[in-house]
Amino acid sequence: MSQTRIPIVVYGPLSPYLEEQLKARFQVHEVAADADSIALDGAVRGARALVSFGSVGAPAAIMDALPRLELISLFSVGYDKVDIAHARKKGIKVSNTPDVLTDDVADLAVGLLYAAVRNIAANDRMVRSGKWALGQQVALSGSVTGRRIGVLGLGRIGRAIARRLEPVASEIIYHNRMPAAGTRYRYVQDRIAFARESEVIIVATSGGPEARGLVDAAMLDALGPQGMLINISRGSVVDEDALVAALTEGRIGGAGLDVFVNEPQVPEALFAMDNVVLQPHQGSATVNTRKAMADLVLANLDAWAAGKALVTPVI
């Protein structure tokens, strides 16, 4: 069988460019993310690879429904929606797209910080509504310059965020499970102490079960009523109910959020908050980055189809 006829599954929506390139190389079966995996027909069940966006991932059920599955190739850096333990048990390889989206996600994190601290979104709404022209006074904002900024998760993206903010921050500190090698930023081992020392927390850690609810009510209380929370990681890393309560009660100063627990559903209480900036999970959503991500997905699939090592393996 030629490479162009290897059957694969596209699991949920991808970029048009990636879908076009996949169809040029493989026999593509499109399966909706909410499809009944038990009811897949025989042709689909013969698929040897599955391509999925990170927010869809690959649960155990879809792996079990594809008995010939050899590879899950993710169109994302995050793989928390993939049942990695099940994939490992079944001998299924997993690849992702690290590095190529680092800069754009870091840029958005910094943008969200400035937007939240300087009331950019709220002031934009005030101008568009005509209230400024009618004489409404602009509320004074805080400043980004001079704040101690805490990075939760000093991986590739966390380091890129820290580098961008280093010129304006009074200090960059970070919290990981273990100290990071090759950095001059100060490590704070205890997460509550880390939050207490931070004036801004930027959540850049990877997701997954071990990180679920890591930013909880105790961390938010330690951050305090002047503190800002920025999340470009995964919605599940933050206890969303605790965050809404802390914002509602003024126990933290504001937030900039690109990710949510039940995307695309967002807690309605956040909509009326002028101290919260909301984005539709678009950290990597630039033309250049999405093409680079797609090309890396294709490179992993091409390597696998040729019997070579994956370019960016997860397992």
Side-chain angles (χ1 to χ4, degrees), residues 77-78 80 101-113 150-153 155-162 165 201-207 215 229-238 255-260 263 277-284:
V77 64
D80 52 297
L101 48 66
T102 297
D103 286 334
D104 279 334
V105 175
D107 286 346
L108 182 66
V110 174
L112 280 171
L113 173 58
V151 179
L152 183 62
R156 296 181 183 93
I157 294 173
R159 288 173 187 261
I161 292 167
L165 291 170
I201 292 177
I202 301 181
V203 184
T205 189
S206 56
V215 180
L229 181 78
I230 308 299
N231 189 7
I232 47 77
S233 168
R234 284 290 184 265
S236 60
V237 176
V238 177
L257 308 172
D258 186 44
V259 289
F260 306 90
E263 296 174 4
V277 180
L278 306 171
Q279 292 291 290
H281 199 158
Q282 55 99 43
S284 67

Side-chain angles (χ1 to χ4, degrees), residues 261-277:
V261 173
N262 296 310
E263 296 174 4
Q265 304 304 315
V266 176
E268 290 188 10
L270 298 176
F271 295 161
M273 296 181 182
D274 279 344
N275 59 338
V276 178
V277 180

Side-chain angles (χ1 to χ4, degrees), residues 3-4 8 10 14-28 51 290-291 294-299 301-302:
Q3 179 179 333
T4 57
I8 71 169
V10 167
L14 300 172
S15 74
Y17 167 77
L18 179 54
E19 291 195 13
E20 177 183 323
Q21 293 298 314
L22 290 172
K23 288 175 180 176
R25 288 167 162 82
F26 303 100
Q27 179 186 345
V28 172
V51 183
R290 286 292 169 87
K291 184 178 184 301
D295 287 339
L296 190 47
V297 169
L298 295 168
L301 284 162
D302 288 343

Side-chain angles (χ1 to χ4, degrees), residues 21-196:
Q21 293 298 314
L22 290 172
K23 288 175 180 176
R25 288 167 162 82
F26 303 100
Q27 179 186 345
V28 172
H29 300 283
E30 297 183 5
V31 176
D34 59 354
D36 182 357
S37 57
I38 298 176
L40 299 179
D41 65 35
V44 176
R45 288 174 58 81
R48 294 172 52 198
L50 179 145
V51 183
S52 174
F53 195 63
S55 60
V56 174
I62 192 66
M63 298 184 211
D64 291 340
L66 304 173
R68 297 188 62 199
L69 190 63
E70 301 171 24
L71 172 67
I72 297 167
S73 187
L74 293 171
F75 183 51
S76 72
V77 64
Y79 50 87
D80 52 297
K81 292 293 182 71
V82 177
D83 191 329
I84 293 293
H86 199 68
R88 186 178 281 113
K89 179 180 177 181
K90 294 178 72 72
I92 299 169
K93 297 177 180 179
V94 179
S95 66
N96 65 342
T97 59
D99 297 321
V100 294
L101 48 66
T102 297
D103 286 334
D104 279 334
V105 175
D107 286 346
L108 182 66
V110 174
L112 280 171
L113 173 58
Y114 276 93
V117 171
R118 294 303 308 270
N119 300 335
I120 289 174
N123 288 342
D124 176 85
R125 290 191 292 272
M126 187 181 72
V127 173
R128 291 175 187 272
S129 70
K131 292 179 181 178
W132 188 43
L134 293 174
Q136 179 170 318
Q137 295 297 307
V138 179
L140 296 180
S141 73
S143 299
V144 173
T145 300
R147 293 200 179 199
R148 181 182 291 115
I149 295 174
V151 179
L152 183 62
L154 199 71
R156 296 181 183 93
I157 294 173
R159 288 173 187 261
I161 292 167
R163 286 194 301 270
R164 284 158 169 75
L165 291 170
E166 195 173 321
V168 299
S170 65
E171 184 184 13
I172 303 285
I173 64 176
Y174 75 97
H175 173 75
N176 281 357
R177 281 173 290 181
M178 299 290 290
T183 180
R184 61 183 177 276
Y185 307 128
R186 181 162 61 91
Y187 174 60
V188 182
Q189 182 175 15
D190 181 79
R191 67 186 181 94
I192 302 301
F194 162 78
R196 188 176 297 115

